[in-house]
Amino acid sequence: MLMQYAFCQCFGNIRETSWRGVIRVMKLAMTWVQPAFLAVIFAFWSLAPASWVNASTMTLAVLLTYGAVQALEFVSERHASWRITWREFRTDFFYLLLFTFVIAWFTQIAAENPLTALKASLGIATPWIMALPFVLQVALVLVVIEFGQYWMHRLMHGNYAFWLTHAPHHHMTQLNALKGATGNPIELFLISLSVVALLDVQLSAVFCASNMLTGITCFAHANVKTTPPRWYSYLFTTIEHHSLHHSTLFENNFSNFGNGLILLDRIFGTYREGFSEIVGQDERKRLSIWEQWVFPAKHGIPYIKAKLAGETPTVG
Ligand SMILES: [Zn+2]
Ligand SMILES: [Zn+2]
């Protein structure tokens, strides 16, 4: 009897100790998972052989990034109220494919190619960028993309016409890994614009910076409980920053515009501390894909009509 008691006690202690160990390892993993993701992406593109540096590899790397962060939602959940459902996943997956294949293709032909032609016709050349170490080229591309996205995002919150394209993204009532790519197609195109095509940069550095930003924005929308190191959340946008931006309060919406670099909000005075589990707009009605697509026309046409009639328009 005594032996049995001692065995149970000992087994209980081992079990308790191993659980404490598991919790400690999980805590450590959730502290370093975001920097580790960025380190892996950086290592991959810096070591990738030239034959791998193409659009197909980039597409695969981006899809793997989205998939890995989405999978983490099942390992370390942040809010039960944001738990992914089949309906949410179907919508998110549709947008992932739209963003990765259709919007990326359209951005290439409607913006990147004309910019490249403009660069050639104006004789713009920045060969000194090519001579920089890979890490600096990546940092430069990251800042250039984010600088444009910060001001575009801020414009979307400050101008009604632009807001109508961005509002569907804010009507989401929960956040998940793929939701950074969810919204009205016009907004997805506008937020993809950048002037990187005007610069002479290694293609692998452009892919690396874009892939790293995908990782950051993915985590910034993910239902993953993480506690990143302080330096990470000082520089990069986290779920805390971005969930506050998605909250139902206007003053919170008009803050934390950085999609990837929250540092820009700190510099331009729009940084706000905090987080919000309650996300959405107005009555927190979830929009269907169709409602997201017709949103600008549905609210924009009556607005223009009222303006033309000299009446005070209602804003949606
Ligand atoms: Zn916004
Ligand atoms: Zn968002």
Side-chain angles (χ1 to χ4, degrees), residues 194-268:
S194 90
V195 295
V196 170
L198 292 175
L199 308 174
D200 293 305
V201 197
Q202 278 181 43
L203 188 58
S204 53
V206 177
F207 285 155
C208 183
S210 305
N211 198 171
M212 285 172 82
L213 283 172
T214 301
I216 298 166
T217 53
C218 218
F219 272 109
H221 283 91
N223 185 22
V224 181
K225 193 174 181 185
T226 54
T227 47
R230 204 176 291 183
W231 62 265
Y232 182 94
S233 48
Y234 188 83
L235 291 175
F236 303 117
T237 307
T238 64
I239 184 66
E240 280 86 1
H241 307 138
H242 201 64
S243 64
L244 192 71
H245 177 75
H246 271 273
S247 88
T248 49
L249 297 175
F250 173 79
E251 57 268 35
N252 289 339
N253 290 165
F254 206 82
S255 69
N256 299 354
F257 294 111
N259 291 312
L261 273 188
I262 200 71
L263 181 67
L264 295 178
D265 285 279
R266 297 182 193 278
I267 292 170
F268 296 119

Side-chain angles (χ1 to χ4, degrees), residues 153 157 163 166 169-170 242 245-246 253 257:
H153 192 183
H157 280 267
W163 166 248
H166 183 48
H169 182 71
H170 276 271
H242 201 64
H245 177 75
H246 271 273
N253 290 165
F257 294 111

Side-chain angles (χ1 to χ4, degrees), residues 12-314:
N13 284 345
I14 290 169
R15 207 163 54 177
E16 200 177 304
T17 311
S18 56
W19 266 118
R20 271 210 297 267
V22 170
I23 290 167
R24 210 173 301 142
V25 169
M26 271 294 284
K27 253 183 148 171
L28 199 68
M30 288 304 120
T31 298
W32 289 99
V33 66
Q34 283 159 284
F37 254 69
L38 298 194
V40 168
I41 292 169
F42 180 83
F44 173 76
W45 287 108
S46 61
L47 300 172
S51 59
W52 288 16
V53 182
N54 53 52
S56 305
T57 312
M58 178 62 187
T59 304
L60 189 64
V62 163
L63 291 176
L64 278 173
T65 307
Y66 276 115
V69 182
Q70 179 63 69
L72 279 176
E73 290 196 359
F74 301 102
V75 177
S76 176
E77 183 178 73
R78 186 176 182 84
H79 300 300
S81 62
W82 292 0
R83 192 170 297 157
I84 193 89
T85 60
W86 276 113
R87 183 174 72 155
E88 289 293 330
F89 184 73
R90 272 198 307 271
T91 305
D92 294 356
F93 192 66
F94 165 78
Y95 275 109
L96 176 65
L97 297 182
L98 179 86
F99 192 64
T100 311
F101 295 102
V102 183
I103 302 288
W105 164 79
F106 186 70
T107 307
Q108 186 66 43
I109 58 157
E112 305 281 320
N113 291 352
L115 268 184
T116 307
L118 181 74
K119 176 180 179 292
S121 66
L122 293 177
I124 300 170
T126 54
W128 58 271
I129 298 177
M130 287 283 223
L132 292 174
F134 184 75
V135 64
L136 290 184
Q137 292 191 46
V138 172
L140 179 72
V141 173
L142 208 137
V143 170
V144 168
I145 292 175
E146 270 303 299
F147 187 81
Q149 289 199 347
Y150 172 88
W151 288 104
M152 178 60 81
H153 192 183
R154 198 164 159 172
L155 177 68
M156 285 171 172
H157 280 267
N159 176 285
Y160 189 59
F162 281 86
W163 166 248
L164 289 180
T165 71
H166 183 48
H169 182 71
H170 276 271
H171 273 270
M172 296 183 308
T173 52
Q174 66 178 79
L175 296 180
N176 299 101
L178 310 187
K179 286 197 163 61
T182 299
N184 183 276
I186 303 169
E187 185 225 350
L188 299 179
F189 168 69
L190 291 174
I191 212 75
S192 301
L193 297 176
S194 90
V195 295
V196 170
L198 292 175
L199 308 174
D200 293 305
V201 197
Q202 278 181 43
L203 188 58
S204 53
V206 177
F207 285 155
C208 183
S210 305
N211 198 171
M212 285 172 82
L213 283 172
T214 301
I216 298 166
T217 53
C218 218
F219 272 109
H221 283 91
N223 185 22
V224 181
K225 193 174 181 185
T226 54
T227 47
R230 204 176 291 183
W231 62 265
Y232 182 94
S233 48
Y234 188 83
L235 291 175
F236 303 117
T237 307
T238 64
I239 184 66
E240 280 86 1
H241 307 138
H242 201 64
S243 64
L244 192 71
H245 177 75
H246 271 273
S247 88
T248 49
L249 297 175
F250 173 79
E251 57 268 35
N252 289 339
N253 290 165
F254 206 82
S255 69
N256 299 354
F257 294 111
N259 291 312
L261 273 188
I262 200 71
L263 181 67
L264 295 178
D265 285 279
R266 297 182 193 278
I267 292 170
F268 296 119
T270 47
Y271 177 73
R272 191 175 266 241
E273 191 84 33
F275 68 93
S276 179
E277 182 180 347
I278 308 296
V279 296
Q281 288 288 297
D282 308 325
E283 305 301 314
R284 298 191 67 231
K285 182 188 174 293
R286 181 189 187 277
L287 302 183
S288 65
I289 294 173
W290 174 249
E291 287 169 326
Q292 289 173 331
W293 285 42
V294 297
F295 194 93
K298 187 184 168 189
H299 294 271
I301 293 169
Y303 181 88
I304 294 167
K305 277 185 180 169
K307 277 275 188 193
L308 291 174
E311 296 162 4
T312 308
T314 50

